Amino acid sequence: IRTFAPKALQVQERAVTKRDYETLLRARFPNIQAISVYGGDEVIPPQFGKVIISVDVTGGEGAADYEIANFRAYLRDKTPLTIEPVFVVAKFMYVDSVINVVYDGNLTSKSAAQIQSEVNAGVISYQNTNLNDFNKTFRQSRLSAFLDSIDGSIVSTDIVAKPIIEYVPKLNQATSPSFSFESTLVQPYPFDVVSGFNTFKPAVESTKFTVEDTLVTAKDDGQGNIMLVTANTDTLGIFKSSVGTINYSTGDIKLSNLNITSFENNAIKFTANTVSKDIKPPKDRILVIRGQDVTVTVSPLES
C-alpha cells in the first residue's frame, strides 16, 4: 500500500495506460502478487478495444472467480467507455533444470549430499527472489553465479534449463489446444524410421498420456509436425504421424482433434529445447522453478 497508493493518486484514480491498471489494482488489492497488463491488439486473434489483465494472488495459482469479480467491479468507473477490461486466468511456465556441481573436497568438511541439499534450497531461494512473476527472464549465468557462491568449495556449476508448459486436457472429448513458448527452438534433423529414436532429439516432447487405449508421448518430427509415439513398449514406434504442428521459429504448437482418456500426474508436461540458454516466458505467463523439476548432481573435483 505504501508503495502503490501514491502512484494511484498520481493517476487520479483513472486507468488510461497499461501502467495505470497495474498501479490502481495493486494499490486497492495488496494481495495481488503478480500482474500483467497488455492490449487486446497484442493477442491472437486481436481483441481490439480491450485490455487484457492477468492476475496472480498470494497463496494460490491465479485468482478465484470472486476475486476477479471484485477487480472488475473496482475498475468499472475508472476505465474509458471505449475500453473493456478482460481478466484472464494467470498461466505459468516452469523450468526443467539439470544442474551439475563440481566441488573441491579439500576446501570443505561437507559431504556431497549436504552440498546437494544446499544447492537445491539455493535454487528455490533464487526463484523466489528473482522469478515467480510476469516479465521475468531466467538467466542461466546468474543462477550459476548464485549457486557458486553458496559454498567456497564449489568449483563450477553447469546448468541445462528447458521451459515447460503444462496442459490439463478435458478427458474423453476431442480438443484442439494450442500454446506457445515464444522462443526459437532447436530444430532436429527430420525423423527417420530406419534410424529410430535412439539418437533423435526432438525440439519438444511430452510426458505420457493415453489415446485410443495406447500409452503415448508427443514429439515433433523435425519437419513441423507433432507425432504421437508409443510409450508402452521397449521399442518406440510412431502411433500417429501427425496430430498437430510446431513452428520452430516462434515456438508455437497447435494440436488438433486430440482425444485423451488419461494422463500421468496432474498435467501433461511439454518440454522444449530452446536455442537461447536464457528463458523468457510469454507475457501472459509467470516463470517458476519448482523443486520437482530440479535435478542436482554433485561430484568431487578430479585430481
Side-chain angles (χ1 to χ4, degrees), residues 7-27:
K7 295 180 181 179
L9 180 62
Q10 290 173 12
V11 301
Q12 298 297 310
E13 297 295 318
R14 298 293 296 171
V16 179
T17 68
K18 300 175 188 177
R19 180 65 175 174
D20 294 343
Y21 285 91
E22 179 180 344
T23 298
L24 288 171
L25 287 169
R26 282 188 181 274

Side-chain angles (χ1 to χ4, degrees), residues 119-256:
V119 170
N120 274 306
V123 172
I124 302 305
S125 174
Y126 179 88
Q127 93 90 28
N128 289 335
T129 302
N130 298 280
L131 303 175
N132 200 29
D133 200 350
F134 293 104
N135 303 314
K136 297 290 186 179
T137 299
F138 169 81
R139 302 195 183 280
Q140 287 194 36
S141 60
R142 293 183 182 177
L143 176 58
S144 180
F146 177 79
L147 297 179
D148 284 347
S149 68
I150 287 178
D151 191 280
S153 67
I154 295 179
V155 176
S156 66
T157 303
D158 179 68
I159 301 172
V160 177
K162 297 180 180 181
I164 297 171
I165 289 179
E166 291 191 341
Y167 168 56
V168 180
K170 295 181 179 179
L171 299 181
N172 300 305
Q173 58 180 287
T175 57
S176 299
S178 62
F179 47 86
S180 179
F181 289 94
E182 291 191 12
S183 296
T184 303
L185 307 181
V186 178
Q187 183 173 357
Y189 62 81
F191 174 75
D192 178 64
V193 176
V194 176
S195 301
F197 288 96
N198 290 335
T199 59
F200 183 70
K201 297 181 180 179
V204 170
E205 57 185 325
S206 77
T207 51
K208 299 174 183 179
F209 56 94
T210 302
V211 172
E212 297 178 16
D213 296 323
T214 303
L215 188 66
V216 299
T217 61
K219 304 177 189 286
D220 68 283
D221 66 356
Q223 301 184 82
N225 301 302
I226 298 293
M227 54 185 176
L228 297 185
V229 178
T230 55
N232 57 350
T233 59
D234 294 334
T235 303
L236 302 181
I238 297 177
F239 179 65
K240 289 183 180 292
S241 60
S242 180
V243 293
T245 60
I246 179 171
N247 186 315
Y248 296 105
S249 298
T250 63
D252 294 343
I253 293 176
K254 298 179 180 179
L255 303 175
S256 179

